[in-house]
């Protein structure tokens, strides 16, 4: 059975544009990913800890037969392959992959909260999601397009993305 998941991508170390593009390809290549629709890349100012380089962000909507926790494990393995270090909250990173939503289910498990507890407050997630799935609902907060409009685009710049569109696994 295929489920829809929304994944946010972010990087601000070691050529962030290439990190995000390569991570999009790595997720598309996972064996239980049926399709992956990607947003453009966006440059955004850091949130929380400000003394770090700007981030490159993107969002993908995927069809997957992984269960939510299996998908999380696969994403964490990709982060590790890309050299992710978890030094402190909001620290600079080579790659950050977050599940924003999985089959519109709710979870308060310590390892995976769904929908992502802060995604509806982050324009660097909602603007790319609104680009590829404007009517995608985020819990009771509204659609991606409604949330993106509410949050605005201050501090965010859309970049060209050669991976924009649909990718199919294998």
């Amino acid at each position: 059975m295929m489920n829809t998941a929304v994944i946010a991508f972010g990087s601000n170390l070691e050529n962030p544009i290439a990190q995000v593009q390569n991570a999009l390809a790595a997720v598309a290549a996972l064996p239980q990913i049926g399709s992956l629709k990607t947003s453009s890349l966006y440059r955004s100012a850091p949130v929380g800890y400000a003394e770090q380089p700007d981030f490159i962000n993107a969002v993908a909507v995927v069809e997957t037969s992984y269960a939510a926790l299996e998908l999380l494990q696969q994403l964490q393995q990709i982060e590790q392959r890309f050299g992710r270090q978890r030094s402190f909250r909001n620290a600079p990173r080579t790659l950050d992959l977050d599940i924003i939503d999985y089959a519109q289910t709710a979870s308060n498990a310590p390892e995976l909260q769904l929908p992502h507890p802060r995604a509806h407050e982050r324009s660097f997630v909602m603007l790319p999601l609104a680009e590829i799935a404007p009517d995608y609902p985020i819990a009771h907060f509204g659609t991606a397009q409604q949330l993106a409009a509410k949050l605005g685009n201050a501090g965010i710049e859309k970049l060209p993305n050669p991976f924009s569109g649909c990718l199919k696994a294998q």
Side-chain angles (χ1 to χ4, degrees):
M1 182 170 114
M2 296 298 261
N3 287 298
T4 301
V6 176
I7 303 168
F9 295 71
S11 174
N12 72 341
L13 295 176
E14 299 177 23
N15 193 348
I17 289 174
Q19 294 279 37
V20 171
Q21 290 173 334
N22 292 335
L24 286 163
V27 170
L30 290 171
Q32 293 183 47
I33 298 291
S35 68
L36 178 135
K37 184 175 185 182
T38 65
S39 72
S40 299
L41 299 181
Y42 290 75
R43 182 183 320 277
S44 63
V47 172
Y49 177 65
E51 298 299 316
Q52 61 181 319
D54 285 350
F55 277 84
I56 298 299
N57 300 99
V59 167
V61 176
V62 304
E63 295 298 320
T64 182
S65 57
Y66 287 117
L69 286 175
E70 291 173 323
L71 179 60
L72 177 64
Q73 291 167 348
Q74 293 294 322
L75 297 178
Q76 288 174 339
Q77 288 174 12
I78 291 171
E79 286 179 338
Q80 289 174 349
R81 285 201 325 257
F82 281 70
R84 171 77 189 260
Q85 302 289 320
R86 295 181 187 274
S87 51
F88 59 91
R89 185 179 177 92
N90 298 320
R93 57 202 78 128
T94 54
L95 184 62
D96 186 23
L97 301 176
D98 287 329
I99 300 175
I100 302 305
D101 185 74
Y102 181 90
Q104 299 180 358
T105 57
S107 170
N108 284 319
E111 61 275 8
L112 181 59
Q113 296 177 6
L114 292 171
H116 187 285
R118 292 169 301 285
H120 69 282
E121 302 169 347
R122 295 184 170 164
S123 50
F124 63 83
V125 173
M126 288 301 126
L127 283 170
L129 181 56
E131 175 191 338
I132 58 172
D135 296 326
Y136 197 95
I138 302 296
H140 59 278
F141 300 110
T143 65
Q145 187 169 28
Q146 291 167 335
L147 291 166
K150 179 179 157 187
L151 293 167
N153 61 358
I156 297 181
E157 173 192 4
K158 183 177 176 180
L159 305 176
N161 180 4
F163 279 98
S164 189
C166 269
L167 298 176
K168 291 198 190 256
Q170 305 169 359

